[in-house]
Amino acid sequence: MKKSITIIITFLFFTFSFAQNKFGNPEVDPVQIQKTYTDWSAYQSKKIMLSRDFVSLDSNSKEISKESFLDQLANGNYIPIQLKSDDAVYYYKLFKIQPKSDTSIKATINQIGFDALKNYKMEGSAFPSFSFKDLNGNLVTNESMKGKIIVIKCWYIHCTPCIREFPQVNKLTEEYKDRQDILFISLAEDSPEQLKAFLARKPLAYSVIPNMKEYMNEALQLNSFPTHFILNKEGMIAKVLPNFESLEVALEKESKL
């Protein structure tokens, strides 16, 4: 009898260990990374990209849907940690937030998770119809964009993160300048006069459409800036992205389809 119990315990221990390790070990200590908000924030911004394609694991190393993973981040007490992997696949796993962790960590993760879940749910839907003129008087419509990959940057003049990434997005347009099937446009809240004065000092290589505050608030329901959209050649939303780093990764993938 004792031998049988020992075998069962050994089997359960092996099974649990396998479940914990078959996807790889955490690349950082999930407890130590929560010691300070600064440490966690530096790791989060550098290593966790919730807009990318990844294998989602719950706290028990069980594979779950990306939507469920993001929902738990938005509404739970978890932090996402990347697991070590020898292949090209990304594995993100949920770990419990420690009771003594800085409360700002939970609050920030919940907000990041909420935004990521909202963006993810928009993927695969049609981009809201529009017909607007850019600062040069060119008409931009859904129909005129059909058959092309469209990169859309949503921003406004007083958004510091929006302006900070100008050099990077300008470089991105240069990298794809020979791709006639990729267009870069931007939706800005500000008036034509404000934009022309501002862009004379800080150029943006995208086509700029002014007075888009109402459209972005109501049609797109945006609550954070910058927000980037990638539309596929059928006019459907392929990706909704929070920053240049995620945009660069997603556009590289979309451009190869």
Side-chain angles (χ1 to χ4, degrees), residues 31-244:
V31 176
Q32 289 298 317
I33 202 65
Q34 299 180 54
K35 292 293 185 181
T36 69
Y37 179 83
T38 301
D39 288 346
W40 170 81
S41 181
Y43 171 77
Q44 164 78 23
S45 61
K46 185 178 180 180
K47 301 295 293 186
I48 302 298
M49 190 181 295
L50 296 175
S51 59
R52 77 174 354 138
D53 296 326
F54 59 87
V55 175
S56 312
L57 305 172
D58 67 11
S59 57
N60 295 314
S61 294
K62 178 183 177 181
E63 195 168 340
I64 57 177
S65 69
K66 183 174 181 178
E67 183 172 345
S68 176
F69 184 94
L70 296 177
D71 182 67
Q72 290 189 56
L73 286 183
N75 300 292
N77 298 289
Y78 299 98
I79 63 170
I81 299 291
Q82 184 172 319
L83 304 184
K84 296 177 182 177
S85 175
D86 294 328
D87 54 33
V89 178
Y90 291 90
Y91 297 90
Y92 290 171
K93 179 180 173 180
L94 298 173
F95 288 86
K96 277 284 189 180
I97 294 178
Q98 299 299 301
K100 294 183 178 180
S101 293
D102 189 324
T103 56
S104 296
I105 293 178
K106 172 177 166 54
T108 304
I109 289 176
N110 289 164
Q111 185 60 54
I112 291 173
F114 175 83
D115 290 340
L117 180 60
K118 176 176 174 289
N119 291 347
Y120 178 71
K121 287 182 175 181
M122 293 178 73
E123 295 176 11
S125 61
F127 195 77
S129 61
F130 67 86
S131 178
F132 304 119
K133 286 186 178 181
D134 66 18
L135 288 178
N136 296 318
N138 300 310
L139 184 65
V140 182
T141 70
N142 296 73
E143 288 303 314
S144 68
M145 298 191 303
K146 282 285 181 68
K148 298 180 184 295
I149 295 170
I150 312 299
V151 181
I152 301 174
K153 172 182 169 69
C154 299
W155 66 289
Y156 59 94
I157 286 175
H158 297 293
C159 168
T160 301
C162 300
I163 310 308
R164 188 186 301 127
E165 65 179 20
F166 269 27
Q168 294 168 301
V169 296
N170 286 341
K171 183 179 178 182
L172 192 66
T173 63
E174 180 66 20
E175 291 176 5
Y176 288 93
K177 66 180 181 181
D178 295 327
R179 288 288 300 266
Q180 300 302 309
D181 61 332
I182 300 179
L183 297 180
F184 294 85
I185 68 173
S186 74
L187 310 182
E189 289 189 356
D190 315 278
S191 70
E193 295 74 23
Q194 292 171 315
L195 287 165
K196 287 177 181 178
F198 180 81
L199 294 171
R201 295 183 287 109
K202 292 185 177 293
L204 176 62
Y206 285 43
S207 172
V208 180
I209 302 174
N211 295 324
M212 288 289 97
K213 184 174 183 177
E214 182 177 343
Y215 179 82
M216 290 191 285
N217 287 344
E218 296 183 6
L220 300 180
Q221 297 187 347
L222 297 185
N223 54 19
S224 62
F225 295 86
T227 293
H228 302 268
F229 290 85
I230 296 179
L231 311 186
N232 64 24
K233 294 183 178 182
E234 287 72 48
M236 309 298 284
I237 298 173
K239 283 289 183 181
V240 186
L241 310 148
N243 50 43
F244 168 77

